[in-house]
Amino acid sequence: MQQIAYDAEVPSGTKASQITVRFDAAADTITGVLWGNKVGGVLQDVHVAVPDSDGVVTITVPHPTADALFVSLVAMGSDEETVTPYTYQAHHITADSPVTGEVTVTPDRARVTPGVPTDLSATWSGVPADTRSGAWIEYGNGAGTFLTLN
């Protein structure tokens, strides 16, 4: 079994945090992510996230209240020698996040019914195609959606 852990520090005033792990696992390997909120260095809770069919786990935390997000990557192969390549990215949106390009969501004002999904479209412009970009679309009630490109 392979296990690697990270503490992704959450900057003060963060509107949303997103952690993405991409596993490049062999067919006989099981992967997953254990994660939780840390306050004052103490783990407050633990959650399990399982990769999608592409081997990707995305964890999004709106309005995080923790000092850090604990993230433990786990891979179990057919033998103890199995090594699973992966990439790990932590992305935090704050009031001071640099702004590059623009994201537009349409319609800009949608009539919605609580609890009923609504289709929206987003377009990006002026954003480098070869780097990861993120945007936090905040709704009037404080909830929101983390949009990610790449």
Side-chain angles (χ1 to χ4, degrees):
M1 182 169 90
Q2 178 183 5
Q3 180 179 359
I4 299 170
Y6 298 93
D7 279 347
E9 292 185 25
V10 178
S12 178
T14 296
K15 294 181 179 190
S17 294
Q18 187 175 73
I19 294 173
T20 303
V21 180
R22 288 180 172 82
F23 291 100
D24 186 15
D28 66 347
T29 302
I30 298 170
T31 57
V33 175
L34 301 174
W35 70 278
N37 296 287
K38 288 180 95 171
V39 176
V42 178
L43 189 60
Q44 303 296 307
D45 51 18
V46 177
H47 308 274
V48 176
V50 179
D52 64 16
S53 60
D54 293 324
V56 178
V57 172
T58 301
I59 300 163
T60 302
V61 181
H63 305 291
T65 57
D67 304 328
L69 298 173
F70 168 79
V71 181
S72 177
L73 316 180
V74 179
M76 293 181 284
S78 60
D79 60 53
E80 301 235 352
E81 302 300 316
T82 300
V83 175
T84 302
Y86 68 91
T87 60
Y88 165 90
Q89 294 176 306
H91 195 114
H92 307 286
I93 302 288
T94 68
D96 298 329
S97 292
V99 176
T100 302
E102 183 176 298
V103 63
T104 303
V105 177
T106 55
D108 59 349
R109 299 212 183 272
R111 290 197 167 272
V112 299
T113 302
V116 176
T118 300
D119 288 330
L120 302 173
S121 296
T123 57
W124 298 78
S125 62
V127 178
D130 61 344
T131 59
R132 187 172 182 89
S133 298
W136 175 248
I137 307 300
E138 191 166 75
Y139 310 124
N141 65 358
T145 299
F146 202 120
L147 300 178
T148 307
L149 180 65
N150 288 339

